[in-house]
Amino acid sequence: MSSTCSCSKEFVDEREERLTEVIEKYRGVRGALIPVLHEAQEIYGYLPFHVQKRISEEMQIPMGEIYGVITFYTQFSLEPKGEYQIQVCLGTACYVKGANLILEKFKEKLGIDVGGCTEDGKFSLQACRCVGACGLAPVVMINEDVYGGLKPSEVEKILKKYQ
Amino acid sequence: MQIYRAHALVCRGTGCSSHKAEEIFNELERQLQDKKLTNEVKVVTAGCLGLCKSGPNLVIYPEGAIYSGLQVEDVEEIVTEHLLKGRIVKRLLFGDTEADAGIKSLDDVGFFKRQKRIALRNCGVINPESIDEYLAFDGYKALTKVLTEMEPAEVIDVLKKSQLRGRGGAGFPTGTKWEFAAKAESKQKYVCCNADEGDPGAFMDRSILEGDPHSLVEAMAIAGYAVGADKGFIYIRAEYPIAVKRLRLAIEQAKEYGLLGENILNTGFNFDLEIRLGAGAFVCGEETALLTSIEGKRGEPRPRPPFPAVKGLWGQPTLLNNVETYANVPPIILNGPDWFTQIGTERSKGTKVFAVGGNINNTGLVEIPMGTTLREVIYEIGGGIPNGKEFKAAQTGGPSGGCIPASHIDTPIDYDTLVELGAMMGSGGLIIMDEDTCMVDIARFFLEFTVDESCGKCPPCRIGTKRMLEILSRITEGRGEEGDIEKLETLAKNIKAAALCGLGQTAPNPVLSTLRYFRDEYEAHVRDKKCPAGACKSLLDYVIDAEICKSCGICAKNCPVDAIEGEKKKGPFVIIQEKCIKCGTCVEKCPFDAISAS
Ligand SMILES: Cc1cc2nc3c(=O)[nH]c(=O)nc-3n(C[C@H](O)[C@H](O)[C@H](O)COP(=O)(O)O)c2cc1C
Ligand code: FES
């Protein structure tokens, strides 16, 4: 996410246009709601109300059903996320190697709970289940970066990199 | 095609990518240009070799030298020494690959010697983004054979004779499942692939998808022909972006080459494939939930029968198999069922891929013949337990499975022996645990997972697992009560009997299995308020060793609740147990390692 102000007219329009393209692309495809939500979330970073409403109208799916689907799947978010999304893996391999201690450290250093976002919008913290890099346990992902073999004492240093 | 003197394969699976594989790759290309070797040495992006822990990995053929744990600076040395002068850089070779006379072949290295690679046959060997390389390794030969020489019923017959069983968990005979789908009557049928890989701590399917996507595409087309379907869906977790990208590419390439789409190989057979992404719901790995999710709805399971082979996607007959199951199909078609049944045990044929993780030296991916013992996996392939610790138990089958204690380390691993032990094959996560792991805490961990992932449709799973978690949490926090263990057992029995789908029916397994082998550990928590493994924080006492303490006061300064008393330079500090919240900060901060928990 960039720091561009989202209230500027052009910026909003560009996103709306991209959403229209996505909806058009899936017109006539069966079971397209989930792929459309995925791509809409990629455009907006989360799924705001007006986006759900557009999708509901264009795809003729009741709002209730859309809300039901969004809340069923953990990857869909109704809230904006931080600029840097921290995902601490709590899969089995990572847990056995002390991932919960890493998570505690992130909570302590950021002063937020799992699912929360720091006040400045910089970091959001999530626990996830296995990113498929179990060989490197314990694993943390910050946006696209994967950190393996972490120790709780290294958490502070990593956060510094993003500040 | 250009002939090269040597091939340098850089593993760029997820594990190695996080180890800066890309920088190694770029540096390698740069160095080769520098030394004018680009016409002689070909650099190839490859999939996972299985040696994830020691990444980034680079393999150079024809010698088969595995270089691991590389730094960017090492690349120049490898290029000048190995590729230019032909001298292997022993210092950088992986573990025990070095022999007196140069290096051992892959097959002789401890990590690979016991393995037999069928499903992973191309992983780490070919460039997954090139259909030509797949073709050069007998790719799409099985599809050609099936379409030009075999009747659908013959294909099913071969699979039945091979005795291949599903690798997604339950081990249902694959040929029989294909026969059900083939016999179902309908104009429209579907072939689906379960690439949701929900078991936390497992990444077998991911490596196949990233390392050899064409084998899945080929196998699904074969399945389409055998059961009479012209449309397929691959349901894959969105958490696997590299796999999704490579699969998309593979489908495009196959279409370009006329191996997918209309009138494949001029035989009149049509088959098209589509990818659908999951969105982070474990229950969507269950087959009926998965199909509901492809339909674009909340991925809630439904009772079976009817089974998907009769009534699946949009009410039509649907064949669903796991990634690894499909990956076994082309070699079986090409080599025949007798070849396959020679491998493995009486009732479990072939191999199984395991993602070995946890407290073990070589974490990574291994493919072993069914019937290999746990001891061989841990000590011969896995290189043993780190830091001289004792092996305590291995967990298979993830949140639906159970544990195998050290006393059963010599059991041959196959579908049936694991069930007898109260564990299960599962999809292939194999977590090794050492003496410091608390089995009650592990059971609690899995229950927390199921409570999180229960879809909420049926009460036994939604409410029952929650009650079990509450009891387990209180036991690990030192608030366990007499009778708690019995309550757990009753709940477990009822949930198993009453839950709607596999998720709930198997959710109590980790508790039952740890109770079966480690009941004394539960009792120690409940009665003595002690954690024998020293893992449950609330049951630990932090103490400062008076002999080591230099009374520097750093611990007291960092204690968030002022539970440490003493005066600087005036004799050892002391932790006031009543105040201590067991956060562990002091242990971390003490410069002299004078504080420990017991
Ligand atoms: C809760 C639950 C989760 C499952 N997760 C997976 C999974 O992640 N991958 C998979 O292949 N099968 C999973 N299965 C098993 C599937 O329901 C199904 O049996 C399997 O995909 C069939 O393929 P196979 O016969 O090739 O093994 C799961 C089952 C349950 C009950
Ligand atoms: S368990 Fe953390 S990456 Fe697999």
Side-chain angles (χ1 to χ4, degrees):
Chain A
M1 247 177 282
S2 72
S3 57
T4 322
C5 173
S6 59
C7 47
S8 99
K9 191 87 177 77
E10 279 154 279
F11 194 65
V12 172
D13 278 350
E14 193 238 342
R15 295 196 294 188
E16 295 273 311
E17 261 166 42
R18 282 170 63 198
L19 180 61
T20 312
E21 276 168 31
V22 168
I23 294 172
E24 285 311 317
K25 187 169 86 182
Y26 285 99
R27 218 176 268 290
V29 176
R30 286 185 102 178
L33 177 59
I34 293 173
V36 168
L37 290 176
H38 264 301
E39 296 197 21
Q41 177 156 297
E42 228 163 77
I43 298 171
Y44 289 88
Y46 70 114
L47 294 165
F49 185 76
H50 74 272
V51 170
Q52 297 173 40
K53 202 142 170 69
R54 272 281 313 275
I55 295 175
S56 163
E57 281 160 10
E58 301 265 0
M59 297 182 75
Q60 308 207 337
I61 299 173
M63 278 299 271
E65 192 177 326
I66 293 185
Y67 185 78
V69 168
I70 293 176
T71 49
F72 184 84
Y73 297 98
T74 49
Q75 278 188 348
F76 295 134
S77 172
L78 293 165
E79 306 282 335
K81 291 182 188 154
E83 182 182 349
Y84 297 106
Q85 294 171 28
I86 304 171
Q87 307 227 27
V88 181
C89 176
L90 286 190
T92 320
C94 289
Y95 187 79
V96 169
K97 295 209 130 179
N100 52 335
L101 303 178
I102 309 268
L103 181 64
E104 287 304 316
K105 205 68 187 181
F106 271 107
K107 281 199 217 165
E108 180 197 318
K109 291 284 167 220
L110 295 171
I112 53 176
D113 221 333
V114 173
C117 187
T118 52
E119 253 170 42
D120 56 5
K122 197 130 192 165
F123 296 103
S124 52
L125 183 62
Q126 278 156 315
C128 68
R129 306 287 187 186
C130 193
V131 296
C134 321
L136 316 172
V139 174
V140 171
M141 268 178 83
I142 302 186
N143 289 357
E144 308 274 288
D145 303 339
V146 177
Y147 295 90
L150 277 185
K151 293 194 195 73
S153 53
E154 291 166 346
V155 165
E156 199 166 357
K157 203 174 72 206
I158 289 178
L159 283 176
K160 281 236 168 72
K161 271 172 77 172
Y162 297 90
Q163 255 145 11
Chain B
M1 216 163 144
Q2 165 112 23
I3 313 250
Y4 293 95
R5 167 169 71 82
H7 285 79
L9 277 67
V10 184
C11 172
R12 289 171 89 182
T14 303
C16 282
S17 293
S18 79
H19 278 314
K20 310 268 179 293
E22 183 158 343
E23 286 168 33
I24 302 280
F25 186 89
N26 294 340
E27 176 69 10
L28 191 61
E29 296 227 295
R30 219 174 54 85
Q31 289 291 339
L32 289 175
Q33 258 166 22
D34 242 32
K35 312 267 176 335
K36 307 214 167 23
L37 288 172
T38 40
N39 284 330
E40 294 175 44
V41 181
K42 184 163 169 129
V43 185
V44 179
T45 294
C48 184
L49 253 185
L51 290 165
C52 307
K53 171 110 170 257
S54 6
N57 297 311
L58 164 69
V59 187
I60 295 183
Y61 288 102
E63 294 89 347
I66 312 173
Y67 292 111
S68 62
L70 294 181
Q71 302 290 332
V72 178
E73 302 83 71
D74 297 331
V75 174
E76 184 176 0
E77 184 176 346
I78 294 178
V79 173
T80 14
E81 285 298 305
H82 188 152
L83 292 171
L84 205 57
K85 301 182 190 158
R87 289 195 295 236
I88 283 159
V89 188
K90 290 193 178 170
R91 164 178 87 79
L92 298 169
L93 284 180
F94 167 72
D96 56 355
T97 43
E98 188 187 341
D100 299 336
I103 56 161
K104 302 185 215 168
S105 86
L106 269 192
D107 299 333
D108 289 335
V109 177
F111 182 76
F112 292 103
K113 191 161 62 182
R114 297 256 163 206
Q115 297 197 45
K116 175 148 188 75
R117 291 163 85 92
I118 298 176
L120 298 178
R121 62 194 178 279
N122 292 328
C123 290
V125 179
I126 65 167
N127 177 352
E129 301 191 351
S130 154
I131 189 171
D132 290 323
E133 290 200 16
Y134 182 67
L135 287 167
F137 281 74
D138 291 343
Y140 292 102
K141 253 197 191 157
L143 178 64
T144 313
K145 179 172 173 189
V146 163
L147 291 184
T148 55
E149 298 170 22
M150 294 167 84
E151 290 296 320
E154 287 176 79
V155 179
I156 291 172
D157 198 46
V158 167
L159 270 187
K160 282 175 79 174
K161 286 210 178 100
S162 76
Q163 298 176 50
L164 173 66
R165 293 170 71 175
R167 303 295 194 237
F172 190 82
T174 307
T176 311
K177 199 191 261 187
W178 287 32
E179 192 172 41
F180 286 149
K183 285 202 171 137
E185 288 200 23
S186 169
K187 271 209 194 105
Q188 179 69 60
K189 295 185 193 174
Y190 297 103
V191 166
C192 292
C193 174
N194 189 342
D196 196 42
E197 193 152 63
D199 173 1
F203 54 104
M204 306 72 52
D205 296 346
R206 171 173 208 157
S207 297
I208 296 175
L209 295 163
E210 286 180 359
D212 194 16
H214 280 288
S215 70
L216 176 61
V217 174
E218 178 177 11
M220 289 185 73
I222 294 173
Y225 176 73
V227 307
D230 64 358
K231 175 98 197 157
F233 288 93
I234 300 169
Y235 187 86
I236 179 170
R237 323 177 60 189
E239 288 94 333
Y240 287 181
I242 301 178
V244 174
K245 186 181 127 224
R246 294 198 179 147
L247 209 47
R248 285 221 165 98
L249 192 65
I251 292 175
E252 264 168 44
Q253 290 173 341
K255 278 188 184 156
E256 239 167 69
Y257 278 56
L259 296 161
L260 216 53
E262 305 261 307
N263 191 17
I264 297 172
L265 297 168
N266 282 324
T267 57
F269 171 63
N270 306 330
F271 190 73
D272 199 9
L273 265 181
E274 220 178 280
I275 295 175
R276 285 294 162 92
L277 299 192
F282 172 68
V283 71
C284 288
E286 196 277 336
E287 53 187 23
T288 60
L290 182 145
L291 298 176
T292 319
S293 179
I294 295 182
E295 291 174 4
K297 304 189 202 129
R298 291 165 65 92
E300 286 174 358
R302 61 158 178 79
R304 298 173 309 176
F307 286 91
V310 178
K311 215 167 177 234
L313 203 55
W314 290 295
Q316 305 301 329
T318 304
L319 173 73
L320 177 75
N321 279 119
N322 159 270
V323 176
E324 190 186 332
T325 315
Y326 280 124
N328 275 289
V329 171
I332 291 177
I333 301 279
L334 286 180
N335 302 323
D338 297 337
W339 161 78
F340 194 73
T341 50
Q342 279 167 16
I343 309 159
T345 61
E346 178 69 32
R347 300 199 45 226
S348 307
K349 301 298 183 191
T351 58
K352 178 77 195 89
V353 182
F354 286 99
V356 186
N359 307 123
I360 186 156
N361 279 319
N362 300 334
T363 53
L365 215 58
V366 306
E367 180 169 353
I368 46 172
M370 298 273 187
T372 306
T373 64
L374 190 56
R375 183 188 297 281
E376 288 168 307
V377 175
I378 296 176
Y379 291 99
E380 291 182 34
I381 301 174
I385 314 289
N387 310 323
K389 301 266 179 178
E390 286 283 317
F391 167 64
K392 181 168 182 178
Q395 166 83 22
T396 64
S400 313
C403 63
I404 311 166
S407 54
H408 288 283
I409 192 170
D410 288 310
T411 312
I413 302 174
D414 73 15
Y415 289 101
D416 309 301
T417 51
L418 287 182
V419 170
E420 270 162 42
L421 291 177
M424 66 182 266
M425 182 73 84
S427 54
L430 184 65
I431 308 288
I432 309 299
M433 296 177 279
D434 68 12
E435 55 191 294
D436 293 343
T437 315
C438 168
M439 302 313 283
V440 188
D441 185 53
I442 285 295
R444 191 198 56 77
F445 165 79
F446 281 119
L447 254 296
E448 193 175 62
F449 180 89
T450 4
V451 167
D452 247 19
E453 296 293 344
S454 168
C455 76
K457 188 167 175 175
C458 76
C461 175
R462 182 182 68 233
I463 305 170
T465 56
K466 178 113 190 148
R467 290 292 96 82
M468 286 185 81
L469 175 61
E470 284 164 5
I471 298 175
L472 286 165
S473 298
R474 95 173 159 239
I475 294 180
T476 52
E477 282 162 15
R479 294 178 291 111
E481 297 158 12
E482 219 36 70
D484 270 354
I485 299 176
E486 291 71 21
K487 269 190 209 143
L488 280 175
E489 284 173 324
T490 318
L491 274 165
K493 216 172 75 204
N494 292 338
I495 296 170
K496 271 179 92 86
L500 169 68
C501 85
L503 193 148
Q505 288 156 8
T506 57
N509 287 356
V511 178
L512 290 175
S513 149
T514 44
L515 265 174
R516 172 165 163 189
Y517 297 111
F518 300 97
R519 199 180 182 95
D520 51 335
E521 243 177 79
Y522 278 81
E523 283 166 354
H525 281 74
V526 175
R527 297 214 183 110
D528 317 328
K529 308 288 180 247
K530 283 273 168 240
C531 173
C536 294
K537 267 180 140 187
S538 323
L539 300 178
L540 296 178
D541 283 336
Y542 285 86
V543 278
I544 299 174
D545 189 325
E547 307 240 313
I548 309 176
C549 178
K550 301 254 187 300
S551 63
C552 67
I554 291 180
C555 56
K557 212 173 102 209
N558 282 289
C559 177
V561 292
D562 295 325
I564 307 180
E565 288 179 357
E567 246 182 281
K568 258 193 183 168
K569 302 260 182 289
K570 297 227 169 96
F573 279 55
V574 194
I575 299 176
I576 313 299
Q577 295 302 334
E578 293 73 42
K579 283 196 192 168
C580 175
I581 55 164
K582 318 193 196 247
C583 66
T585 307
C586 53
V587 180
E588 226 177 79
K589 295 287 178 192
C590 176
F592 312 105
D593 290 332
I595 310 178
S596 60
S598 64

